[in-house]
């Protein structure tokens, strides 16, 4: 079986540019992924982060679906404890009715925000404890077999929207295995437990109505360019911007110079932050292809979901194009 290729779009907001430009860039990126043979594009739920524009995940998915033709689109993911399972079932039932055969629903249990934002979302800090039950409730609505007497999700699409469990620890791996669902590991920013989590998932997997065999998606950061040095510069600029956003509590930009950011990342305090992007590749299409192929083999991934975070939208599109063309050679 050939390695499937997909895309996680973080819908970044560039300093000094309107958010509308971010959405236009996301449309361009999804179209590029569609042309390049990517299987799907996912968007993540984050809140109170001015550098990321994908907070209203289902709305963005619908917008992208209106501007593409065939590529699968979905959430990678919806942080389910932030929401009522019924409301999410209604949102994704609507999306799948409008765009049949194209909608995925990845589910996570993290808040996707800081503590104050979590309270503003009306989220109880203990709500993550009910995540397994919430997944089952949501699954019931989407399949037409509600677990809540007298309550149905309307509209409900003719097909059942496929669910994916997202995670960066053994908890998600165990739950995905128990429920017989695909498992997506966030190794693009939380790499430490990747191999152990995949091993646990594959060992404990139970077939389900959705999935007969275990299916693993793993995240990788990709910067592809015709010139290796160009790709390396893009990656360095992206990690500087990411670090600024994180240590500035999500604000776009920050007042830190490049030299200060580099010094921080090289320090013991910055080492952990730097290690979060362990699974990253910057290089020519051939180098990217070799890295992704080896990465997938090392962690038994059936699919790699790539993030392309070059600062300029045109460079992100080009990275997607080059990656898709390189991986098509191996398909």
């Amino acid at each position: 079986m050939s390695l499937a290729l997909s895309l996680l779009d973080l819908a970044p907001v560039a300093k000094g540019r309107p958010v509308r430009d971010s959405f236009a860039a996301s449309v361009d990126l999804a179209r590029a992924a569609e042309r390049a043979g990517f299987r799907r594009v996912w968007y993540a739920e984050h809140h109170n982060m001015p550098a990321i524009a994908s907070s209203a995940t289902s709305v963005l998915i619908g917008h992208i679906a209106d501007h593409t033709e065939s590529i699968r689109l979905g959430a990678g993911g919806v942080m389910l404890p932030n929401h009522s399972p019924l409301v999410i079932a209604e949102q994704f039932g609507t999306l799948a009715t409008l765009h049949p055969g194209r909608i995925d629903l990845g589910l996570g249990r993290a808040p996707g925000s800081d503590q104050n934002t979590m309270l503003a979302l009306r989220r109880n800090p203990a709500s993550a404890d009910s995540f397994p039950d919430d997944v089952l409730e949501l699954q019931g609505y989407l399949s037409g077999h509600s677990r809540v007497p007298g309550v149905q999700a309307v509209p409900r699409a003719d097909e059942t929207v496929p669910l994916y469990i997202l995670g960066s620890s053994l908890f998600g791996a165990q739950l995905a295995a128990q429920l017989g669902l695909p498992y997506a590991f966030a190794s693009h920013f939380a790499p430490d437990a990747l191999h152990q989590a995949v091993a646990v998932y594959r060992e404990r997997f139970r077939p389900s109505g959705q999935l007969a065999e275990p299916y693993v998606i793993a995240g990788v950061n990709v910067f592809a360019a015709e010139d290796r040095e160009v790709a390396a510069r893009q990656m360095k600029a992206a990690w500087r911007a990411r670090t600024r956003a994180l240590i500035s509590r999500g604000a776009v930009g920050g007042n830190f110079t490049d030299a200060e950011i580099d010094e921080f990342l090289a320090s013991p305090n910055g080492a952990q932050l730097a290690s979060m992007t362990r699974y990253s590749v910057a290089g020519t299409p051939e180098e990217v292809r070799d890295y992704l192929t080896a990465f997938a083999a090392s962690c038994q991934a059936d699919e790699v979901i790539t993030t392309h975070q070059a600062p300029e939208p045109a460079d992100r599109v080009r990275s997607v194009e080059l990656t898709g063309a390189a991986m098509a050679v191996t398909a």
Side-chain angles (χ1 to χ4, degrees):
M1 183 179 66
S2 62
L3 179 64
L5 184 64
S6 55
L7 172 66
L8 176 65
D9 180 6
L10 301 177
V13 180
K15 184 179 181 180
R17 297 180 185 175
V19 176
R20 179 181 291 272
D21 287 357
S22 175
F23 295 141
S26 287
V27 168
D28 290 342
L29 199 65
R31 286 173 169 170
E34 187 170 66
R35 294 191 303 269
F38 282 59
R39 179 168 294 183
R40 69 186 93 244
V41 184
W42 280 0
Y43 304 89
E45 176 187 344
H46 294 280
H47 299 282
N48 193 34
M49 298 184 70
I52 297 177
S54 54
S55 55
T57 313
S58 61
V59 179
L60 181 57
I61 292 168
H63 176 67
I64 302 297
D66 284 337
H67 290 82
T68 52
E69 296 180 0
S70 59
I71 194 167
R72 296 193 67 89
L73 301 163
V78 162
M79 300 299 106
L80 190 55
N82 290 344
H83 309 278
S84 153
L86 176 60
V87 169
I88 297 303
E90 291 168 342
Q91 291 177 2
F92 280 80
T94 299
L95 285 168
T97 300
L98 292 170
H99 307 283
R102 298 184 59 196
I103 301 301
D104 301 330
L105 177 50
L107 302 169
R109 67 173 183 143
S113 60
D114 56 67
Q115 186 172 4
N116 285 339
T117 305
M118 182 177 69
L119 295 175
L121 288 165
R122 304 297 189 265
R123 172 173 172 165
N124 186 314
S127 56
D129 297 339
S130 65
F131 179 65
D133 291 333
D134 288 346
V135 172
L136 291 173
E137 183 181 341
L138 173 61
Q139 191 175 46
Y141 293 134
L142 291 172
S143 65
H145 299 93
S146 175
R147 291 171 172 260
V148 181
V151 178
Q152 300 292 332
V154 180
R156 185 176 69 84
D158 291 337
E159 83 253 20
T160 299
V161 177
L163 299 182
Y164 298 73
I165 298 298
L166 278 57
S168 58
S169 68
L170 299 188
F171 178 89
Q174 292 167 342
L175 180 62
Q178 178 183 346
L179 299 181
L181 296 176
Y183 181 51
F185 193 93
S187 40
H188 62 292
F189 75 89
D192 291 346
L194 170 63
H195 292 83
Q196 184 181 6
V198 171
V200 166
Y201 169 71
R202 289 192 174 278
E203 178 184 341
R204 301 186 183 182
F205 180 83
R206 301 176 184 175
S208 69
Q210 178 177 327
L211 194 64
E213 301 287 341
Y215 191 86
V216 173
I217 304 174
V220 182
N221 304 292
V222 174
F223 300 82
E226 285 89 349
D227 184 277
R228 179 188 305 170
E229 295 304 318
V230 170
R233 287 196 297 270
Q234 291 174 359
M235 183 168 71
K236 191 167 188 177
W239 293 162
R240 284 170 174 165
R242 176 181 179 273
T243 304
R244 282 193 185 93
L246 289 173
I247 64 180
S248 302
R249 295 185 179 274
V252 176
N255 296 319
F256 301 96
T257 66
D258 287 350
E260 288 171 333
I261 293 295
D262 292 344
E263 183 178 358
F264 171 74
L265 288 173
S267 71
N269 288 335
Q272 183 176 2
L273 189 60
S275 72
M276 291 169 65
T277 54
R278 180 188 315 159
Y279 294 121
S280 302
V281 56
T284 65
E286 294 75 17
E287 290 170 328
V288 168
R289 178 195 64 215
D290 292 346
Y291 181 93
L292 294 181
T293 303
F295 168 79
S298 76
C299 65
Q300 294 184 283
D302 303 288
E303 180 175 336
V304 289
I305 186 162
T306 59
T307 72
H308 300 257
Q309 300 181 57
E312 292 300 322
D315 292 330
R316 295 196 291 271
V317 166
R318 188 60 180 148
S319 182
V320 163
E321 292 172 341
L322 293 172
T323 301
M327 293 301 290
V329 174
T330 63

